[in-house]
Amino acid sequence: GYCTWQLRQAGFDAVGYELSRPRAAFAARLGVTVETRLDRLGDHFDMVVSCHVIEHVPNPRETLEQQLGKVVPGGLVVALTPNGSAAYRSANRNGWQRSWGQVHPVLLTDRFCRGVARDRPCLITSDSSDDRLARWNSAAQEADLCDQEFLTLVLKRPA
């Protein structure tokens, strides 16, 4: 709910989805309506955003596919997650070891993201700056070195 609240504060028409009913209740205290049933959301969104979510679900690939099913053709799925990629592990072994384990039982990698993207346009990066996102050719697949703490995956649903 908090991410939805932030998006609404920034002027977006945002709708939240939360598996946890207690967290959905917290969102209600923020004045944000958060749906707890996926089938009630529809499939008309321009973008689905998840921040530090997919590393906690039992099947991240299935979750990303479900999210793609919620966006209109040409729509985007944006997922931010701790980075389990080999380049980050090599660049910062201590940081990687603190990220993995009980806190984040599943660390997603750039390789996993490439597999999920298949032939769809995507951006796989650990540079989440506005500039990097602006330089992405949204008709292509682009993957960076992914050597920083967080991983950003942007998937585009083909038109």
Side-chain angles (χ1 to χ4, degrees):
Y2 185 65
C3 183
T4 304
W5 179 83
Q6 288 177 310
L7 289 168
R8 292 184 69 79
Q9 293 298 304
F12 291 96
D13 181 17
V15 176
Y17 171 70
E18 176 61 62
L19 289 171
S20 166
R21 292 188 193 280
R23 288 181 187 225
F26 174 76
R29 290 196 307 255
L30 294 175
V32 175
T33 301
V34 174
E35 187 55 63
T36 58
R37 288 188 42 192
L38 193 59
D39 61 334
R40 291 186 181 167
L41 285 177
D43 58 0
H44 61 280
F45 297 98
D46 295 321
M47 182 180 299
V48 170
V49 177
S50 66
C51 297
H52 300 273
V53 171
I54 60 175
E55 71 273 15
H56 297 284
V57 299
N59 189 333
R61 180 184 305 272
E62 180 180 282
T63 298
L64 289 164
E65 292 292 342
Q66 286 175 334
Q67 291 173 347
L68 273 169
K70 297 295 179 187
V71 298
V72 297
L76 301 175
V77 169
V78 180
L80 288 80
T81 183
N83 187 1
S85 300
Y88 176 57
R89 192 168 47 245
S90 294
N92 188 341
R93 183 168 279 309
N94 289 335
W96 181 85
Q97 287 176 334
R98 281 191 308 272
S99 294
W100 182 80
Q102 292 181 10
V103 175
H104 301 110
V106 177
L107 274 182
L108 304 179
T109 67
D110 54 336
R111 185 175 173 195
F112 168 82
C113 292
R114 282 185 190 95
V116 169
R118 295 184 308 222
D119 58 348
R120 291 183 276 248
C122 68
L123 172 62
I124 304 165
T125 185
S126 59
D127 176 358
S128 60
S129 67
D130 293 342
D131 178 60
R132 178 60 186 107
L133 297 173
R135 288 184 287 118
W136 173 46
N137 173 359
S138 65
Q141 289 191 345
E142 295 182 17
D144 294 340
L145 182 59
C146 298
D147 62 347
Q148 302 299 311
E149 184 176 8
F150 299 108
L151 190 62
T152 300
L153 168 63
V154 182
L155 294 169
K156 183 175 180 182
R157 182 175 172 186

